[in-house]
Amino acid sequence: MPTYRDEVVVLRTHKLGEADRIITCLSRRHGKIRAVAKGVRRTSSRFGARLEPFMVADAQFYEGRNLDIVQQADSIGAYGAEIAEHYERYTAASAMVETADRLNEAEATPQQYLLLVGGLRALARGDHAARSILDSYLLRAMAMSGWAPGLGDCARCGLPGPHGHFVAQLGGIVCDDCAPAGSVRVDLTTTQLLQALIAGEWDVVDAAPGASTAAASGLVAAYAQWHLERGIRALEHVLNEAALPAEARL
């Protein structure tokens, strides 16, 4: 039976039988992989802890007819524990891996793998606010899949900006003439924050006022879910967490 080796980030797992798991991974060179990890639910498993969600591993697989089989896994990035200790990091990471899981095979590129690993690493280290890391990831993931939002000129007619409406269905920022009745208005500060999130300009992101950060997050969530064609379940927890007072999130 042929084997192959690749770097993977674990997106989700499912129980199989009494001791096995099915793991879904995004790999660096082989796209998305679904494989059986035999015996990993036993306490004596040699690599069970390395195949939990948010973990990055160097793994060897047997090629199977329907599901591959994990033969070996060595840890590259153990981000799960640091993420799970903080609710806002955990919900953001859950939304990120759920988004990555929605990618089709053509979109599951090495760039998408590196983007996800970088986002999980930043969450584990607490480099920036968890919601900002998630927003940046979502915008970049959409852009890599060919769905980059228009954030300057009108996304519908091309009229030079800046403009004051955001319409996910039309591709981003649109002018007054193209904006449907009741469309969301967006101020220049929020537009500049969206541009900084997709460009990775973290000095701008970290200094943004709270109102703009909240507004940008709502727009990013709406845009990502529109293009993925169904809701990201984990985003509901992110949005609910953001609405809580600070003392309730401790």
Side-chain angles (χ1 to χ4, degrees), residues 2-250:
T3 64
Y4 64 95
R5 197 172 191 96
D6 205 347
E7 296 176 14
V8 301
V9 55
V10 180
L11 306 179
R12 57 189 171 94
T13 66
H14 296 289
K15 293 179 180 179
L16 179 65
E18 295 183 357
D20 305 339
R21 276 201 182 103
I22 296 174
I23 64 169
T24 301
C25 311
L26 180 63
S27 73
R28 186 164 191 160
R29 296 183 297 276
H30 292 83
K32 284 197 296 183
I33 298 171
R34 294 186 75 237
V36 176
K38 293 183 176 294
V40 294
R41 289 162 55 204
R42 296 193 182 102
T43 55
S44 58
S45 172
R46 292 178 293 114
F47 52 79
R50 304 168 195 167
L51 296 174
E52 295 289 340
F54 318 139
M55 304 295 278
V56 183
D58 178 16
Q60 182 169 305
F61 301 88
Y62 285 122
E63 267 185 38
R65 180 175 297 178
N66 296 314
L67 293 172
D68 295 347
I69 298 173
V70 182
Q71 182 185 22
Q72 183 180 350
D74 298 316
S75 179
I76 297 176
Y79 304 131
E82 290 84 355
I83 288 173
E85 286 179 356
H86 303 270
Y87 181 72
E88 70 279 6
R89 296 183 191 179
Y90 178 80
T91 54
S94 297
M96 288 163 63
V97 297
E98 185 178 346
T99 300
D101 195 21
R102 297 281 182 85
L103 300 174
N104 62 46
E105 285 303 325
E107 296 166 341
T109 62
Q111 291 76 22
Q112 289 281 8
Y113 166 83
L114 293 171
L115 177 67
L116 180 58
V117 171
L120 294 175
R121 183 188 302 118
L123 280 174
R125 296 190 308 208
D127 289 345
H128 310 282
R131 187 60 202 265
S132 294
I133 294 172
L134 170 61
D135 290 340
S136 181
Y137 169 79
L138 291 174
L139 286 172
R140 293 186 189 189
M142 294 298 102
M144 287 181 181
S145 297
W147 300 324
L151 298 174
D153 300 340
C154 177
R156 186 170 185 270
C157 71
L159 183 71
H163 301 296
H165 300 270
F166 188 97
V167 184
Q169 301 93 315
L170 297 180
I173 299 291
V174 296
C175 65
D176 291 341
D177 291 338
C178 292
S183 58
V184 176
R185 294 200 64 88
V186 55
D187 59 33
L188 183 58
T189 302
T190 302
T191 300
Q192 291 171 339
L193 175 56
L194 290 169
Q195 293 168 339
L197 285 165
I198 200 168
E201 297 172 350
W202 288 103
D203 54 337
V204 176
V205 174
D206 292 341
S212 295
T213 299
S217 291
L219 297 176
V220 172
Y223 188 80
Q225 293 184 104
W226 169 263
H227 285 287
L228 291 171
E229 297 182 349
R230 61 185 189 272
I232 302 170
R233 288 174 297 176
L235 264 182
E236 297 178 10
H237 301 288
V238 176
L239 294 171
N240 290 338
E241 191 271 339
L244 295 173
E247 59 271 18
R249 299 199 295 268
L250 299 177

